[in-house]
């Protein structure tokens, strides 16, 4: 029933080097976004930001409002060096803004607002709700020791929106998606995977009570999400598919053949997070499948010619219909760095450390906006300041969108779908995993037990 495996870990010195790189990157990213994104007048955050900090569009996308509140709150809650008044103030003003202006009719959350909170867009999706829930939940942790009554109220709002999100997910007509007669009725990966992540975040607040409710919170829903995510894993194709039939069957269409390496990797470490959180009876199967998908996605998605991970792929080798299929996006590489490091923490297998270093080296060389990066500052010069020297100065943040060759595709640091959250949470997570492993290099085992897996 018990198998113990001891492996040789990377040296303490190597962990120190990487931990320092992650820590410094986190500092520069947080500094840039705290300096340029905080709206001190209206609350909330600007997210459409040029390289020199200029806000080029004052609209506020609620995905990114929620994610930035969540991330700053998490940093404040877990890192002594980020337990700062300016970060707490940004969280307070951010949560006030989204609570006041984010809610839409029918229990929805708007997708975009003006800078002063007027509605701009409402999507036929549930992701604005998801990130709003995560913001409320983590902020409740932030204020709990100071104002327990208000924390319970904020968390109660999160629970209410989660109930709405579950309802919408089961009947998408409630958010305006009408079924069509010729539709293929495939089931997407994105909804169960993000629901699973949201559940783990909600449980974080309740774990502080250390009671049975916290331990059992949403267990049935989480198990259902895992079952749905696992249906997307096709071992014969060595891939996790974005869209499958009702019973997980392969659908031979553009949507059915689509695999998104970044999504697959992200969903897989969500499965690992679930396994650690819930310790299900079939944990060994879930962990094994998740690790398989991470490895398959890296093998299939890595561009052997230019480096980096492709955005979209067709599992049968047809040309992906997404025009941006070959681009290299920051968040894909963020997820790969987290997943490979987490896989190394769990297994101790050297291949995962090699994967982590390979992805990290390429990412820091190409995405990180520094003097060492061959940044193409001459693309898209601003018409009113063609000789603006501020555009020549590295931001210390990350570029989001690269061409297949690794050149800059867009100069902006923030955009409607690119904020600071992926980077901040990525560096924060990697730093914590590094710190954990630094203290366990003398003996590092993986214990596979019939009922659970845990690293000690």
């Amino acid at each position: 029933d018990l198998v113990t495996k001891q492996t040789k870990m990377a040296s303490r010195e190597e962990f120190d080097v990487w931990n320092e790189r992650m820590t410094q990157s986190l500092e520069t990213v947080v500094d840039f976004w705290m300096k340029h994104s905080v709206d001190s007048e209206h609350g909330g955050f600007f997210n459409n930001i040029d390289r020199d900090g200029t806000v080029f569009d004052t609209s506020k996308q609620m995905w990114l409002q929620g994610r930035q509140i969540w991330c700053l709150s998490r940093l404040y809650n877990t890192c002594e060096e980020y337990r700062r008044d300016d970060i707490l103030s940004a969280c307070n003003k951010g949560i006030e803004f989204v609570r006041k202006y984010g809610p839409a009719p029918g229990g929805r959350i708007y997708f975009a607002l003006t800078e002063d909170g007027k509605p701009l867009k409402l999507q036929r999706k549930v992701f604005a709700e998801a990130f709003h829930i995560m913001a409320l939940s983590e902020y409740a942790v932030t204020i709990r020791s100071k104002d327990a009554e208000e924390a319970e109220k904020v968390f109660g709002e999160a629970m209410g929106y989660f109930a709405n999100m579950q309802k919408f997910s089961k009947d998408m007509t409630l958010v305006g998606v009408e079924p069509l007669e010729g539709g293929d009725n495939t089931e997407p990966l994105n909804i169960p995977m993000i629901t699973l992540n949201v559940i783990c975040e909600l449980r974080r607040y309740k774990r502080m009570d250390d009671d049975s409710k916290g331990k059992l919170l949403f267990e049935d829903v989480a198990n259902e999400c895992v079952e749905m995510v696992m249906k997307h894993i096709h071992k014969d194709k060595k891939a996790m598919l974005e869209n499958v039939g009702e019973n997980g069957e392969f659908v031979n269409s553009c949507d059915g053949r689509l695999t998104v390496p970044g999504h697959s990797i992200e969903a897989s470490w969500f499965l690992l997070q679930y396994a650690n959180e819930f310790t299900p009876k079939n944990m060994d199967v879930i962990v094994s499948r998740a690790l398989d998908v991470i490895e398959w996605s890296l093998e299939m998605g890595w561009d052997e010619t230019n480096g980096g991970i492709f955005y979209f792929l067709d599992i049968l080798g047809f040309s992906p219909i997404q025009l941006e299929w070959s681009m290299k996006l920051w968040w894909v590489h963020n997820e790969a760095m987290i997943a490979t490091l987490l896989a190394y923490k769990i297994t101790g297998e050297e291949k995962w450390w090699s994967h982590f270093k390979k992805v990290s080296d390429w990412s820091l060389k190409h995405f990180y906006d520094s003097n060492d990066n061959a940044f193409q500052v001459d693309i898209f010069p601003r018409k009113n300041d063609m000789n603006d020297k501020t555009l020549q100065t590295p931001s210390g943040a990350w570029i989001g969108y690269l061409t297949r060759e690794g050149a800059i595709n867009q100069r902006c640091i923030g955009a409607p779908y690119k904020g600071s959250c992926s980077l901040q949470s990525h560096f924060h997570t990697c730093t914590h995993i590094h710190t954990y492993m630094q203290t366990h290099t003398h003996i590092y085992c993986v214990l596979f037990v019939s009922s659970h897996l845990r690293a000690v």
Side-chain angles (χ1 to χ4, degrees):
D1 292 332
L2 177 65
V3 177
T4 303
K5 177 183 178 182
Q6 184 169 334
T7 62
K8 180 181 178 181
M9 301 292 287
S11 70
R12 173 64 179 267
E13 291 74 19
E14 194 170 12
F15 282 139
D16 284 341
V17 170
W18 277 101
N19 196 52
E20 181 63 20
R21 293 181 76 179
M22 297 295 109
T23 300
Q24 288 181 353
S25 295
L26 176 60
E27 289 174 357
T28 58
V29 169
V30 172
D31 287 348
F32 179 89
W33 285 88
M34 285 298 295
K35 181 178 180 181
H36 299 296
S37 73
V38 177
D39 183 350
S40 57
E41 181 180 356
H42 301 102
F45 305 93
F46 297 116
N47 52 268
N48 300 294
I49 304 175
D50 208 345
R51 190 192 194 201
D52 62 348
T54 299
V55 175
F56 62 86
D57 188 316
T58 59
S59 63
K60 297 172 179 175
Q61 282 67 37
M62 288 295 290
W63 284 26
L64 303 180
Q65 301 299 304
R67 293 169 83 172
Q68 190 151 340
I69 294 167
W70 171 84
C71 199
L72 290 176
S73 296
R74 176 63 61 88
L75 288 173
Y76 183 90
N77 294 336
T78 59
C79 297
E80 187 65 35
E81 60 269 36
Y82 291 106
R83 198 161 293 130
R84 302 176 344 210
D85 290 343
D86 62 331
I87 288 180
L88 179 59
S89 175
C91 293
N92 290 339
K93 292 178 180 178
I95 207 75
E96 181 181 358
F97 181 83
V98 299
R99 290 174 75 188
K100 183 175 182 179
Y101 299 113
R108 301 289 319 283
I109 294 293
Y110 288 112
F111 171 71
L113 305 170
T114 63
E115 65 176 315
D116 57 353
K118 297 182 180 65
L120 274 178
K121 294 180 182 178
L122 181 64
Q123 285 189 324
R124 290 177 290 183
K125 300 177 181 178
V126 297
F127 304 116
E129 285 79 6
F131 300 127
H132 188 71
I133 294 163
M134 292 172 67
L136 292 169
S137 181
E138 190 63 25
Y139 180 76
V141 174
T142 301
I143 64 171
R144 189 170 188 175
S145 63
K146 305 176 185 69
D147 190 341
E149 184 178 348
E150 180 65 12
E152 282 294 309
K153 182 179 179 181
V154 172
F155 185 74
E157 290 179 23
M159 293 284 280
Y161 279 110
F162 185 69
N164 292 345
M165 180 181 169
Q166 287 181 274
K167 180 174 63 176
F168 301 149
S169 298
K170 293 183 181 298
D171 183 3
M172 293 296 286
T173 63
L174 297 175
V175 298
V177 178
E178 294 296 334
L180 299 176
E181 184 179 357
D184 56 15
N185 296 318
T186 56
E187 295 189 356
L189 171 65
N190 52 12
I191 292 178
M193 67 174 274
I194 195 61
T195 304
L196 185 62
N197 185 227
V198 170
I199 288 171
C200 289
E201 292 301 321
L202 287 169
R203 283 167 58 94
R204 172 173 152 75
Y205 178 86
K206 294 304 293 183
R207 276 200 306 275
M208 297 172 68
D209 295 329
D210 194 27
D211 61 12
S212 59
K213 288 184 178 180
K215 294 175 182 176
L216 298 176
L217 184 67
F218 299 131
E219 185 171 17
D220 291 342
V221 183
N223 293 341
E224 181 182 349
C225 289
V226 170
E227 183 179 342
M228 294 171 69
V229 170
M230 296 282 280
K231 289 195 301 186
H232 289 258
I233 301 174
H234 280 237
K235 197 170 183 179
D236 59 323
K237 294 177 175 58
K238 291 189 174 183
M240 178 180 276
L241 302 176
E242 282 292 304
N243 304 285
V244 296
E246 184 177 355
N247 299 308
E249 63 271 21
F250 172 66
V251 177
N252 193 0
S253 66
C254 289
D255 288 342
R257 296 192 302 267
L258 177 65
T259 185
V260 182
H263 248 181
S264 300
I265 291 169
E266 183 181 20
S268 296
W269 80 257
F270 287 173
L271 289 175
L272 297 177
Q273 180 186 39
Y274 159 84
N276 181 67
E277 178 74 27
F278 288 88
T279 61
K281 292 182 179 179
N282 63 335
M283 177 182 256
D284 55 340
V285 174
I286 293 171
V287 171
S288 177
R289 289 289 180 272
L291 294 174
D292 283 343
V293 172
I294 296 170
E295 189 161 22
W296 297 339
S297 301
L298 289 171
E299 290 175 353
M300 181 191 318
W302 189 260
D303 182 348
E304 294 295 343
T305 303
N306 302 290
I309 303 170
F310 290 123
Y311 193 8
F312 297 106
L313 291 171
D314 185 296
I315 198 64
L316 296 186
F318 291 100
S319 295
I321 60 173
Q322 294 79 11
L323 300 181
E324 69 273 31
W325 73 271
S326 63
M327 287 178 63
K328 313 293 169 58
L329 271 66
W330 88 103
W331 70 264
V332 173
H333 296 74
N334 289 166
E335 303 299 343
M337 291 166 74
I338 292 174
T340 51
L341 197 55
L342 188 57
Y344 187 42
K345 175 185 174 183
I346 290 171
T347 68
E349 294 178 2
E350 183 63 27
K351 68 178 180 180
W352 293 114
W353 182 243
S354 297
H355 281 312
F356 169 77
K357 291 191 293 184
K358 181 179 180 180
V359 175
S360 300
D361 280 331
W362 194 92
S363 300
L364 289 169
K365 179 181 178 181
H366 291 83
F367 288 107
Y368 184 44
D369 184 13
S370 69
N371 285 318
D372 296 329
N373 191 332
F375 195 89
Q376 297 181 6
V377 295
D378 57 339
I379 64 169
F380 307 130
R382 295 206 296 249
K383 298 297 184 183
N384 61 336
D385 49 12
M386 296 287 284
N387 298 313
D388 190 346
K389 297 298 183 183
T390 61
L391 290 177
Q392 311 287 331
T393 305
S395 67
W398 271 37
I399 302 301
Y401 304 95
L402 306 178
T403 67
R404 177 173 183 170
E405 295 75 23
I408 307 304
N409 197 69
Q410 278 123 319
R411 187 184 61 218
C412 56
I413 301 299
Y417 288 93
K418 190 220 179 256
S420 65
C421 176
S422 293
L423 291 164
Q424 292 177 11
S425 61
H426 149 69
F427 289 128
H428 176 55
T429 302
C430 287
T431 299
H432 272 243
I433 296 174
H434 275 127
T435 301
Y436 175 90
M437 291 193 293
Q438 284 173 324
T439 62
H440 291 72
T441 53
H442 61 291
I443 176 170
Y444 191 86
C445 302
V446 176
L447 306 180
F448 289 93
V449 189
S450 57
S451 61
H452 66 282
L453 176 151
R454 65 178 63 160
V456 299

